[in-house]
Amino acid sequence: MSSLNSPLHPKALRYVAAVAQLGSVQAAAREVSISASAIDRQILILEEDLGVPLFERLPRGMRLTAAGELLLALSQRWKADLNRTLSDIKQLQGVNHGQLRLAAMDSHANGFLPDFLQAAAREHPGIVIDIEIVSPDEAVTHLLSGDVDIAVAFNLKPQRDLNLIWSAELPLGCAVAASHPLAALAEVGFKEVVAWPLAAQSRALAIRRYLEKRHGWLLQEARPPLVTNSLQLVKSLVRSGSHVALTSELDVGPEVLDGSVVFVPLRDRNAQAQSVSVATSASRPLPRIARIVAESLAVHVDLHLQRVRQAGAETKRKEPVPR
């Protein structure tokens, strides 16, 4: 049962969420299978009771006001709690059914995530897993607000409200095409990196903010610097040999495994390592099955990282070391 259409989810909140998501009363009416006039009436009653408008009525639809955003957040928290409760009820019946929401990174989509989801489907066929691809900052926000149950993200800092189930350090390095001159080096320095066109990720990611703060000259001297919020574009440019990228080996894991990209560690020992973690909210109790899935996810990420590192080491052993 979808929590959007569940009778346990207050209908007024359902209608607000549907209109906010779809942008109009008419579209929301089709989604929740009720007349547009009934939805409009419920929203007007809410606005009258609260004394504030929840939507801006625009020529081409409806947009949430600040008060509407607060009510939408309440609806999302209600939905999250409802999903957990329904999962708990199923488990009381001895059945592993339910819905889990997972926040992951863009680089995970063609990395360990497909194998993990296939394994989860085999081991827990009654579990529906919703995947949100987000930035690390968004992962923490979603986890703490209850929008997701589990997050696998880069650079999660220990804090009271986060339960880090598993973490691993990810040393910073340079990703280059297998045919690139830097690929034969055992390690590389920042000066050698900026001698080549650099594909840099946007400020939405902590790794870019770190480089700006500690090694800002890199982005100024790189020729010519290219900045994008798409890791897939960065990796495509690296594979082509036209650019290099400063990143972690997990970001380029699939490409290291298929041999198209080589991850060269940085010689600079002051370069701050990144990290990857599997986390849950410490302030919200998880159903037993969610904890099992979170632990399974941690194992899959760890094994994938080990395979990437092993493949990188084997590639290095095959390459001649330049004199």
Side-chain angles (χ1 to χ4, degrees):
M1 176 186 296
S2 168
S3 58
L4 182 62
N5 295 317
S6 170
L8 296 174
H9 192 175
K11 62 181 180 181
L13 293 182
R14 280 190 284 151
Y15 298 162
V16 169
V19 174
Q21 178 182 354
L22 300 170
S24 74
V25 170
Q26 290 74 20
R30 291 190 292 270
E31 176 71 20
V32 299
S33 302
I34 198 169
S35 70
S37 61
I39 291 180
D40 194 45
R41 184 166 57 253
Q42 285 292 327
I43 291 176
L44 289 173
I45 290 172
L46 268 178
E47 291 179 324
E48 184 177 348
D49 288 345
L50 294 171
V52 292
L54 299 176
F55 289 93
E56 296 178 48
R57 273 74 175 176
L58 304 172
R60 295 188 178 181
M62 297 175 70
R63 183 170 62 198
L64 284 171
T65 62
E69 294 279 2
L70 291 173
L71 209 61
L72 177 62
L74 173 63
S75 175
Q76 291 170 337
R77 289 195 300 271
W78 191 292
K79 184 170 66 173
D81 290 341
L82 175 58
N83 284 333
R84 276 189 290 271
T85 300
L86 292 175
S87 293
D88 288 342
I89 290 172
K90 287 293 185 181
Q91 289 182 58
L92 288 174
Q93 300 170 332
V95 182
N96 282 336
H97 283 72
Q99 184 178 29
L100 294 177
R101 293 147 311 150
L102 170 65
M105 309 289 97
D106 180 38
S107 62
H108 302 162
N110 68 337
F112 60 81
L113 207 49
D115 285 344
F116 163 71
L117 292 174
Q118 291 170 22
R122 290 192 302 269
E123 296 166 10
H124 311 288
I127 298 296
V128 176
I129 301 180
D130 290 343
I131 310 293
E132 289 286 337
I133 300 299
V134 298
S135 71
D137 294 341
E138 290 170 335
V140 174
T141 300
H142 288 330
L143 199 56
L144 297 183
S145 67
D147 293 337
V148 299
D149 303 300
I150 307 166
V152 52
F154 296 116
N155 304 311
L156 296 185
K157 297 179 180 178
Q159 54 182 284
R160 184 180 61 182
D161 294 329
L162 280 186
N163 175 30
L164 299 186
I165 294 174
W166 170 88
S167 293
E169 280 199 348
L170 299 172
L172 195 60
C174 184
V176 300
S179 58
H180 195 280
L182 294 182
L185 300 180
E187 54 185 17
V188 67
F190 281 130
K191 286 289 187 182
E192 292 163 300
V193 171
V194 296
W196 304 90
L198 179 68
Q201 298 179 49
S202 74
R203 297 196 79 256
L205 297 181
I207 189 170
R208 167 64 186 279
R209 298 195 293 269
Y210 162 75
L211 288 173
E212 283 185 345
K213 182 178 179 181
R214 297 284 298 275
H215 308 282
W217 61 272
L218 281 169
L219 301 175
Q220 297 172 2
E221 293 189 16
R223 57 174 191 88
L226 178 143
V227 179
T228 175
N229 65 349
S230 170
L231 178 64
Q232 303 310 321
L233 176 57
V234 168
K235 296 200 292 185
S236 179
L237 291 169
V238 168
R239 282 197 307 270
S240 74
S242 65
H243 289 69
V244 301
L246 288 167
T247 186
S248 76
E249 55 202 321
L250 196 59
D251 271 345
V252 290
E255 293 74 23
V256 171
L257 288 170
D258 68 23
S260 61
V261 166
V262 173
F263 179 81
V264 186
L266 276 172
R267 185 182 304 118
D268 188 341
R269 303 308 176 198
N270 293 321
Q272 180 178 310
Q274 306 295 293
S275 67
V276 61
S277 303
V278 175
T280 60
S281 170
S283 59
R284 291 176 176 269
L286 278 182
R288 182 179 62 88
I289 188 61
R291 292 193 296 273
I292 292 172
V293 171
E295 290 167 1
S296 175
L297 174 60
V299 170
H300 272 80
V301 184
D302 189 37
L303 289 175
H304 178 77
L305 183 56
Q306 290 181 39
R307 286 196 296 270
V308 171
R309 287 174 172 168
Q310 182 178 358
E314 290 175 355
T315 298
K316 284 296 180 187
R317 282 198 293 270
K318 294 175 184 177
E319 291 173 349
V321 178
R323 297 182 180 179

